[in-house]
Amino acid sequence: MTSITAPGERLVSLFTQTPCWMIQPLAAKMRYSIPSVRRFLAEVGYLSSFTHNGGWYTLRSIPRFDRAGLWFYRDIGFSRAGSLTKTLIWLVSRSAAGMSAEMLGEILRCRCHAVLVNLWRKGKIDRDKMGRCHFYFSADPPTAAVQRRAREMQNLPEVKFSAEIAVLVLAEFIRNPDSGFEQLAEKISQSKKVAVNVKEIEKLFDQHGLKKTPLTARSAPLKP
């Protein structure tokens, strides 16, 4: 057995007993220098935490990551993406509608506002102020556009149509299924003298589970 294999087996044994270690206690336990222990970790395969300034270590074989790519041992967090900055970029870029610092902090169980601002200033992610807080989006413009649209839809006020107006909208749609939302609003306004907001019609369709294809959802010039 080589001198490298023996420390590696000892290292694995220690992590089997305790899944997370800081480097100094681990080196003391193994009775090796810190540089040597770092070498053993690299040979076996390890991850460093995204919490606690990356000061905790675990073996790659230990974490069972959740759907967000995260694994926690007590208050110590590990990520498939790696560091906190990489994890924030990974989560923001793959979110359906962008994420706020508060949302990310809840998921990651740590404060990350300052890191997010720094990433935004470096162009690694994008952001917009919506309401009282900032939402962060992918740095990729097409992806960010889809995320912003989804966020805007989520932030729309709840539709409070009267039953009569909702019936007017749905009846007009049944008569003209190829009409876009703007066309529906204009036709109702012209025929019934009732002002209906396009965003409200979109929300009404979402609430009732009605789907419009891209062809029918986009507005087109009204026929004379």
Side-chain angles (χ1 to χ4, degrees), residues 172 179-180 182-188 190 219-224:
E172 186 64 40
S179 295
E182 291 181 12
Q183 289 176 301
L184 290 174
E186 189 166 350
K187 286 178 180 179
I188 293 170
Q190 291 176 351
S219 60
L222 287 173
K223 296 180 181 178

Side-chain angles (χ1 to χ4, degrees), residues 173 176-184 187 205 211-221 223:
F173 171 63
N176 299 280
D178 291 331
S179 295
F181 294 132
E182 291 181 12
Q183 289 176 301
L184 290 174
K187 286 178 180 179
F205 272 67
K211 304 295 183 183
K212 290 178 69 62
T213 65
L215 177 63
T216 60
R218 69 170 181 264
S219 60
K223 296 180 181 178

Side-chain angles (χ1 to χ4, degrees), residues 7 11 15 21-24 26-27 30 32-46 48 53-57 59:
L11 187 74
F15 275 95
W21 287 82
M22 297 191 81
I23 196 68
Q24 290 182 339
L26 183 60
M30 293 190 68
Y32 278 92
S33 68
I34 288 177
S36 294
V37 173
R38 291 189 190 279
R39 187 177 72 252
F40 302 148
L41 284 167
E43 291 171 353
V44 173
Y46 74 96
S48 56
N53 294 317
W56 286 89
Y57 296 81
L59 301 186

Side-chain angles (χ1 to χ4, degrees), residues 161 166 170 202-211:
F161 275 156
L170 297 176
E202 292 183 26
K203 194 70 172 180
L204 178 67
F205 272 67
D206 286 341
Q207 288 177 353
H208 286 271
L210 297 173
K211 304 295 183 183

